[in-house]
PDB file of all heavy atoms in Angstrom:
ATOM      1  N   ASP A1596      -0.534  42.008  -8.727  1.00  0.00           N
ATOM      2  CA  ASP A1596      -1.671  42.764  -9.294  1.00  0.00           C
ATOM      3  C   ASP A1596      -1.355  43.287 -10.697  1.00  0.00           C
ATOM      4  O   ASP A1596      -2.109  43.065 -11.646  1.00  0.00           O
ATOM      5  CB  ASP A1596      -2.029  43.952  -8.388  1.00  0.00           C
ATOM      6  CG  ASP A1596      -2.868  43.525  -7.195  1.00  0.00           C
ATOM      7  OD1 ASP A1596      -3.520  42.467  -7.275  1.00  0.00           O
ATOM      8  OD2 ASP A1596      -2.866  44.244  -6.179  1.00  0.00           O
ATOM      9  N   GLY A1620      -6.509  57.361 -11.481  1.00  0.00           N
ATOM     10  CA  GLY A1620      -6.280  56.900 -10.107  1.00  0.00           C
ATOM     11  C   GLY A1620      -4.799  56.750  -9.829  1.00  0.00           C
ATOM     12  O   GLY A1620      -3.976  56.641 -10.764  1.00  0.00           O
ATOM     13  N   ALA A1621      -4.452  56.784  -8.530  1.00  0.00           N
ATOM     14  CA  ALA A1621      -3.040  56.671  -8.138  1.00  0.00           C
ATOM     15  C   ALA A1621      -2.904  55.892  -6.834  1.00  0.00           C
ATOM     16  O   ALA A1621      -1.945  56.060  -6.090  1.00  0.00           O
ATOM     17  CB  ALA A1621      -2.428  58.065  -7.990  1.00  0.00           C
ATOM     18  N   GLY A1622      -3.881  55.030  -6.542  1.00  0.00           N
ATOM     19  CA  GLY A1622      -3.842  54.211  -5.333  1.00  0.00           C
ATOM     20  C   GLY A1622      -2.959  52.979  -5.528  1.00  0.00           C
ATOM     21  O   GLY A1622      -2.130  52.932  -6.448  1.00  0.00           O
ATOM     22  N   GLY A1623      -3.148  51.984  -4.669  1.00  0.00           N
ATOM     23  CA  GLY A1623      -2.302  50.793  -4.688  1.00  0.00           C
ATOM     24  C   GLY A1623      -2.330  50.066  -6.026  1.00  0.00           C
ATOM     25  O   GLY A1623      -1.283  49.680  -6.562  1.00  0.00           O
ATOM     26  N   ALA A1624      -3.524  49.885  -6.584  1.00  0.00           N
ATOM     27  CA  ALA A1624      -3.640  49.142  -7.844  1.00  0.00           C
ATOM     28  C   ALA A1624      -3.005  49.944  -8.987  1.00  0.00           C
ATOM     29  O   ALA A1624      -2.310  49.376  -9.846  1.00  0.00           O
ATOM     30  CB  ALA A1624      -5.102  48.844  -8.143  1.00  0.00           C
ATOM     31  N   ALA A1625      -3.218  51.258  -8.984  1.00  0.00           N
ATOM     32  CA  ALA A1625      -2.635  52.108 -10.026  1.00  0.00           C
ATOM     33  C   ALA A1625      -1.113  52.037  -9.961  1.00  0.00           C
ATOM     34  O   ALA A1625      -0.431  51.980 -10.994  1.00  0.00           O
ATOM     35  CB  ALA A1625      -3.098  53.548  -9.836  1.00  0.00           C
ATOM     36  N   ASN A1644      -5.233  61.996 -11.316  1.00  0.00           N
ATOM     37  CA  ASN A1644      -5.766  61.707  -9.984  1.00  0.00           C
ATOM     38  C   ASN A1644      -6.377  62.942  -9.340  1.00  0.00           C
ATOM     39  O   ASN A1644      -5.982  64.062  -9.617  1.00  0.00           O
ATOM     40  CB  ASN A1644      -4.673  61.130  -9.070  1.00  0.00           C
ATOM     41  CG  ASN A1644      -5.258  60.340  -7.919  1.00  0.00           C
ATOM     42  OD1 ASN A1644      -6.154  59.529  -8.129  1.00  0.00           O
ATOM     43  ND2 ASN A1644      -4.788  60.573  -6.703  1.00  0.00           N
ATOM     44  N   ARG A1645      -7.365  62.660  -8.492  1.00  0.00           N
ATOM     45  CA  ARG A1645      -8.114  63.712  -7.793  1.00  0.00           C
ATOM     46  C   ARG A1645      -7.236  64.445  -6.778  1.00  0.00           C
ATOM     47  O   ARG A1645      -7.231  65.650  -6.709  1.00  0.00           O
ATOM     48  CB  ARG A1645      -9.295  63.003  -7.115  1.00  0.00           C
ATOM     49  CG  ARG A1645     -10.208  63.815  -6.312  1.00  0.00           C
ATOM     50  CD  ARG A1645     -11.288  62.937  -5.754  1.00  0.00           C
ATOM     51  NE  ARG A1645     -10.783  61.870  -4.879  1.00  0.00           N
ATOM     52  CZ  ARG A1645     -11.534  61.036  -4.190  1.00  0.00           C
ATOM     53  NH1 ARG A1645     -12.838  61.115  -4.285  1.00  0.00           N
ATOM     54  NH2 ARG A1645     -11.009  60.113  -3.413  1.00  0.00           N
ATOM     55  N   SER A1646      -6.473  63.657  -5.999  1.00  0.00           N
ATOM     56  CA  SER A1646      -5.603  64.316  -5.014  1.00  0.00           C
ATOM     57  C   SER A1646      -4.175  64.332  -5.558  1.00  0.00           C
ATOM     58  O   SER A1646      -3.659  63.310  -6.017  1.00  0.00           O
ATOM     59  CB  SER A1646      -5.665  63.599  -3.664  1.00  0.00           C
ATOM     60  OG  SER A1646      -5.332  62.258  -3.811  1.00  0.00           O
ATOM     61  N   ARG A1649      -0.756  61.792  -4.066  1.00  0.00           N
ATOM     62  CA  ARG A1649      -0.543  60.414  -4.514  1.00  0.00           C
ATOM     63  C   ARG A1649      -0.144  60.358  -5.981  1.00  0.00           C
ATOM     64  O   ARG A1649       0.723  59.581  -6.378  1.00  0.00           O
ATOM     65  CB  ARG A1649      -1.814  59.586  -4.290  1.00  0.00           C
ATOM     66  CG  ARG A1649      -2.037  59.234  -2.829  1.00  0.00           C
ATOM     67  CD  ARG A1649      -2.579  57.846  -2.706  1.00  0.00           C
ATOM     68  NE  ARG A1649      -4.037  57.832  -2.670  1.00  0.00           N
ATOM     69  CZ  ARG A1649      -4.741  56.725  -2.404  1.00  0.00           C
ATOM     70  NH1 ARG A1649      -4.124  55.584  -2.160  1.00  0.00           N
ATOM     71  NH2 ARG A1649      -6.039  56.756  -2.385  1.00  0.00           N
ATOM     72  N   TRP A1670      -7.074  65.775 -11.601  1.00  0.00           N
ATOM     73  CA  TRP A1670      -8.422  65.433 -12.081  1.00  0.00           C
ATOM     74  C   TRP A1670      -9.433  66.382 -11.461  1.00  0.00           C
ATOM     75  O   TRP A1670      -9.874  66.180 -10.332  1.00  0.00           O
ATOM     76  CB  TRP A1670      -8.744  64.000 -11.698  1.00  0.00           C
ATOM     77  CG  TRP A1670      -9.837  63.380 -12.494  1.00  0.00           C
ATOM     78  CD1 TRP A1670     -10.670  63.977 -13.388  1.00  0.00           C
ATOM     79  CD2 TRP A1670     -10.207  61.999 -12.463  1.00  0.00           C
ATOM     80  NE1 TRP A1670     -11.543  63.069 -13.927  1.00  0.00           N
ATOM     81  CE2 TRP A1670     -11.273  61.839 -13.363  1.00  0.00           C
ATOM     82  CE3 TRP A1670      -9.749  60.897 -11.768  1.00  0.00           C
ATOM     83  CZ2 TRP A1670     -11.892  60.612 -13.570  1.00  0.00           C
ATOM     84  CZ3 TRP A1670     -10.359  59.669 -11.969  1.00  0.00           C
ATOM     85  CH2 TRP A1670     -11.420  59.530 -12.867  1.00  0.00           C
ATOM     86  N   CYS A1686      -8.288  52.838 -12.745  1.00  0.00           N
ATOM     87  CA  CYS A1686      -7.742  52.228 -11.520  1.00  0.00           C
ATOM     88  C   CYS A1686      -8.349  52.868 -10.282  1.00  0.00           C
ATOM     89  O   CYS A1686      -7.797  52.739  -9.184  1.00  0.00           O
ATOM     90  CB  CYS A1686      -6.227  52.391 -11.472  1.00  0.00           C
ATOM     91  SG  CYS A1686      -5.363  51.364 -12.645  1.00  0.00           S
ATOM     92  N   THR A1687      -9.475  53.571 -10.443  1.00  0.00           N
ATOM     93  CA  THR A1687     -10.168  54.094  -9.261  1.00  0.00           C
ATOM     94  C   THR A1687     -11.140  53.022  -8.773  1.00  0.00           C
ATOM     95  O   THR A1687     -11.330  51.988  -9.420  1.00  0.00           O
ATOM     96  CB  THR A1687     -10.974  55.367  -9.595  1.00  0.00           C
ATOM     97  OG1 THR A1687     -12.117  54.998 -10.376  1.00  0.00           O
ATOM     98  CG2 THR A1687     -10.125  56.376 -10.359  1.00  0.00           C
ATOM     99  N   SER A1688     -11.775  53.296  -7.643  1.00  0.00           N
ATOM    100  CA  SER A1688     -12.794  52.359  -7.157  1.00  0.00           C
ATOM    101  C   SER A1688     -14.180  52.744  -7.655  1.00  0.00           C
ATOM    102  O   SER A1688     -15.174  52.143  -7.235  1.00  0.00           O
ATOM    103  CB  SER A1688     -12.748  52.316  -5.632  1.00  0.00           C
ATOM    104  OG  SER A1688     -12.533  53.605  -5.113  1.00  0.00           O
ATOM    105  N   ILE A1689     -14.239  53.701  -8.593  1.00  0.00           N
ATOM    106  CA  ILE A1689     -15.546  54.137  -9.124  1.00  0.00           C
ATOM    107  C   ILE A1689     -16.140  53.018  -9.991  1.00  0.00           C
ATOM    108  O   ILE A1689     -15.508  52.552 -10.927  1.00  0.00           O
ATOM    109  CB  ILE A1689     -15.397  55.423  -9.975  1.00  0.00           C
ATOM    110  CG1 ILE A1689     -14.793  56.546  -9.135  1.00  0.00           C
ATOM    111  CG2 ILE A1689     -16.739  55.851 -10.547  1.00  0.00           C
ATOM    112  CD1 ILE A1689     -14.326  57.748  -9.954  1.00  0.00           C
ATOM    113  N   LEU A1691     -17.317  50.120  -8.558  1.00  0.00           N
ATOM    114  CA  LEU A1691     -17.287  48.857  -7.819  1.00  0.00           C
ATOM    115  C   LEU A1691     -18.640  48.646  -7.141  1.00  0.00           C
ATOM    116  O   LEU A1691     -19.163  49.571  -6.510  1.00  0.00           O
ATOM    117  CB  LEU A1691     -16.166  48.890  -6.767  1.00  0.00           C
ATOM    118  CG  LEU A1691     -15.966  47.612  -5.945  1.00  0.00           C
ATOM    119  CD1 LEU A1691     -15.471  46.473  -6.838  1.00  0.00           C
ATOM    120  CD2 LEU A1691     -14.983  47.847  -4.800  1.00  0.00           C
ATOM    121  N   ILE A1714     -10.411  47.958 -14.078  1.00  0.00           N
ATOM    122  CA  ILE A1714      -9.912  46.901 -13.187  1.00  0.00           C
ATOM    123  C   ILE A1714     -10.952  46.511 -12.136  1.00  0.00           C
ATOM    124  O   ILE A1714     -10.704  45.636 -11.315  1.00  0.00           O
ATOM    125  CB  ILE A1714      -8.567  47.273 -12.524  1.00  0.00           C
ATOM    126  CG1 ILE A1714      -8.728  48.389 -11.495  1.00  0.00           C
ATOM    127  CG2 ILE A1714      -7.532  47.656 -13.570  1.00  0.00           C
ATOM    128  CD1 ILE A1714      -7.540  48.438 -10.535  1.00  0.00           C
ATOM    129  N   ILE A1715     -12.126  47.160 -12.200  1.00  0.00           N
ATOM    130  CA  ILE A1715     -13.216  46.776 -11.285  1.00  0.00           C
ATOM    131  C   ILE A1715     -13.623  45.334 -11.610  1.00  0.00           C
ATOM    132  O   ILE A1715     -14.029  45.043 -12.740  1.00  0.00           O
ATOM    133  CB  ILE A1715     -14.438  47.715 -11.492  1.00  0.00           C
ATOM    134  CG1 ILE A1715     -14.087  49.150 -11.118  1.00  0.00           C
ATOM    135  CG2 ILE A1715     -15.660  47.204 -10.746  1.00  0.00           C
ATOM    136  CD1 ILE A1715     -13.832  49.419  -9.660  1.00  0.00           C
ATOM    137  N   PRO A1716     -13.497  44.408 -10.640  1.00  0.00           N
ATOM    138  CA  PRO A1716     -13.814  43.010 -10.957  1.00  0.00           C
ATOM    139  C   PRO A1716     -15.294  42.662 -10.792  1.00  0.00           C
ATOM    140  O   PRO A1716     -15.758  41.636 -11.272  1.00  0.00           O
ATOM    141  CB  PRO A1716     -12.974  42.231  -9.937  1.00  0.00           C
ATOM    142  CG  PRO A1716     -12.810  43.156  -8.774  1.00  0.00           C
ATOM    143  CD  PRO A1716     -12.937  44.566  -9.293  1.00  0.00           C
ATOM    144  N   GLY A1737     -11.933  43.857 -15.405  1.00  0.00           N
ATOM    145  CA  GLY A1737     -11.137  43.627 -14.199  1.00  0.00           C
ATOM    146  C   GLY A1737     -11.183  42.193 -13.720  1.00  0.00           C
ATOM    147  O   GLY A1737     -10.346  41.763 -12.923  1.00  0.00           O
ATOM    148  N   MET A1740      -8.132  40.383 -14.947  1.00  0.00           N
ATOM    149  CA  MET A1740      -6.958  40.759 -14.147  1.00  0.00           C
ATOM    150  C   MET A1740      -6.974  40.023 -12.799  1.00  0.00           C
ATOM    151  O   MET A1740      -5.947  39.529 -12.339  1.00  0.00           O
ATOM    152  CB  MET A1740      -6.963  42.273 -13.923  1.00  0.00           C
ATOM    153  CG  MET A1740      -5.927  42.743 -12.924  1.00  0.00           C
ATOM    154  SD  MET A1740      -5.998  44.525 -12.704  1.00  0.00           S
ATOM    155  CE  MET A1740      -5.132  44.696 -11.147  1.00  0.00           C
ATOM    156  N   LEU A1741      -8.151  39.952 -12.205  1.00  0.00           N
ATOM    157  CA  LEU A1741      -8.293  39.272 -10.906  1.00  0.00           C
ATOM    158  C   LEU A1741      -7.852  37.805 -11.010  1.00  0.00           C
ATOM    159  O   LEU A1741      -7.090  37.300 -10.184  1.00  0.00           O
ATOM    160  CB  LEU A1741      -9.755  39.345 -10.447  1.00  0.00           C
ATOM    161  CG  LEU A1741     -10.048  38.693  -9.113  1.00  0.00           C
ATOM    162  CD1 LEU A1741      -9.807  39.694  -7.996  1.00  0.00           C
ATOM    163  CD2 LEU A1741     -11.482  38.200  -9.047  1.00  0.00           C
ATOM    164  N   GLN A1744      -3.943  37.642 -11.772  1.00  0.00           N
ATOM    165  CA  GLN A1744      -3.043  37.871 -10.624  1.00  0.00           C
ATOM    166  C   GLN A1744      -3.063  36.653  -9.703  1.00  0.00           C
ATOM    167  O   GLN A1744      -2.032  36.268  -9.146  1.00  0.00           O
ATOM    168  CB  GLN A1744      -3.345  39.185  -9.883  1.00  0.00           C
ATOM    169  CG  GLN A1744      -4.682  39.308  -9.148  1.00  0.00           C
ATOM    170  CD  GLN A1744      -4.753  38.579  -7.817  1.00  0.00           C
ATOM    171  OE1 GLN A1744      -3.744  38.302  -7.188  1.00  0.00           O
ATOM    172  NE2 GLN A1744      -5.959  38.232  -7.409  1.00  0.00           N
TER     173      GLN A1744
HETATM  174  P1  LIG B 162      -7.045  52.793  -3.294  1.00  0.00           P
HETATM  175  O1  LIG B 162      -7.993  53.182  -2.215  1.00  0.00           O
HETATM  176  O2  LIG B 162      -5.603  52.612  -2.966  1.00  0.00           O
HETATM  177  O3  LIG B 162      -7.125  53.899  -4.483  1.00  0.00           O
HETATM  178  C1  LIG B 162      -8.375  54.365  -4.964  1.00  0.00           C
HETATM  179  C2  LIG B 162      -8.129  55.364  -6.094  1.00  0.00           C
HETATM  180  O4  LIG B 162      -9.415  55.757  -6.596  1.00  0.00           O
HETATM  181  C3  LIG B 162      -7.429  56.651  -5.659  1.00  0.00           C
HETATM  182  O5  LIG B 162      -6.610  57.105  -6.707  1.00  0.00           O
HETATM  183  C4  LIG B 162      -8.602  57.607  -5.433  1.00  0.00           C
HETATM  184  O6  LIG B 162      -8.245  58.962  -5.580  1.00  0.00           O
HETATM  185  C5  LIG B 162      -9.518  57.182  -6.547  1.00  0.00           C
HETATM  186  N1  LIG B 162     -10.918  57.532  -6.316  1.00  0.00           N
HETATM  187  C6  LIG B 162     -11.783  56.929  -5.467  1.00  0.00           C
HETATM  188  N2  LIG B 162     -12.994  57.524  -5.539  1.00  0.00           N
HETATM  189  C7  LIG B 162     -12.873  58.526  -6.464  1.00  0.00           C
HETATM  190  C8  LIG B 162     -13.768  59.504  -6.983  1.00  0.00           C
HETATM  191  N3  LIG B 162     -15.036  59.553  -6.580  1.00  0.00           N
HETATM  192  N4  LIG B 162     -13.325  60.356  -7.934  1.00  0.00           N
HETATM  193  C9  LIG B 162     -12.032  60.303  -8.360  1.00  0.00           C
HETATM  194  N5  LIG B 162     -11.129  59.400  -7.886  1.00  0.00           N
HETATM  195  C10 LIG B 162     -11.545  58.524  -6.954  1.00  0.00           C
HETATM  196  O7  LIG B 162      -7.651  51.487  -3.935  1.00  0.00           O
HETATM  197  P2  LIG B 162      -6.896  50.360  -4.809  1.00  0.00           P
HETATM  198  O8  LIG B 162      -5.970  51.027  -5.738  1.00  0.00           O
HETATM  199  O9  LIG B 162      -6.392  49.296  -3.928  1.00  0.00           O
HETATM  200  O10 LIG B 162      -8.125  49.729  -5.606  1.00  0.00           O
HETATM  201  C11 LIG B 162      -8.831  50.480  -6.585  1.00  0.00           C
HETATM  202  C12 LIG B 162      -9.858  49.591  -7.239  1.00  0.00           C
HETATM  203  O11 LIG B 162      -9.186  48.549  -7.932  1.00  0.00           O
HETATM  204  C13 LIG B 162     -10.807  48.899  -6.243  1.00  0.00           C
HETATM  205  O12 LIG B 162     -12.111  49.049  -6.721  1.00  0.00           O
HETATM  206  C14 LIG B 162     -10.423  47.435  -6.298  1.00  0.00           C
HETATM  207  O13 LIG B 162     -11.535  46.592  -6.188  1.00  0.00           O
HETATM  208  C15 LIG B 162      -9.817  47.310  -7.684  1.00  0.00           C
HETATM  209  N6  LIG B 162      -8.799  46.255  -7.761  1.00  0.00           N
HETATM  210  C16 LIG B 162      -8.966  45.262  -8.679  1.00  0.00           C
HETATM  211  C17 LIG B 162      -8.045  44.256  -8.790  1.00  0.00           C
HETATM  212  C18 LIG B 162      -8.266  43.174  -9.797  1.00  0.00           C
HETATM  213  O14 LIG B 162      -7.558  42.158  -9.729  1.00  0.00           O
HETATM  214  N7  LIG B 162      -9.185  43.341 -10.743  1.00  0.00           N
HETATM  215  C19 LIG B 162      -6.842  44.199  -7.937  1.00  0.00           C
HETATM  216  C20 LIG B 162      -6.723  45.319  -7.029  1.00  0.00           C
HETATM  217  C21 LIG B 162      -7.686  46.303  -6.946  1.00  0.00           C
HETATM  218  P3  LIG B 162      -7.580  59.804  -4.376  1.00  0.00           P
HETATM  219  O15 LIG B 162      -6.117  59.438  -4.349  1.00  0.00           O
HETATM  220  O16 LIG B 162      -7.824  61.217  -4.782  1.00  0.00           O
HETATM  221  O17 LIG B 162      -8.307  59.412  -3.129  1.00  0.00           O
END
Side-chain angles (χ1 to χ4, degrees):
D1596 280 337
N1644 202 46
R1645 179 180 61 175
S1646 56
R1649 285 218 267 188
W1670 200 351
C1686 288
T1687 72
S1688 40
I1689 301 167
L1691 182 67
I1714 70 161
I1715 296 292
M1740 171 180 161
L1741 180 87
Q1744 66 77 23

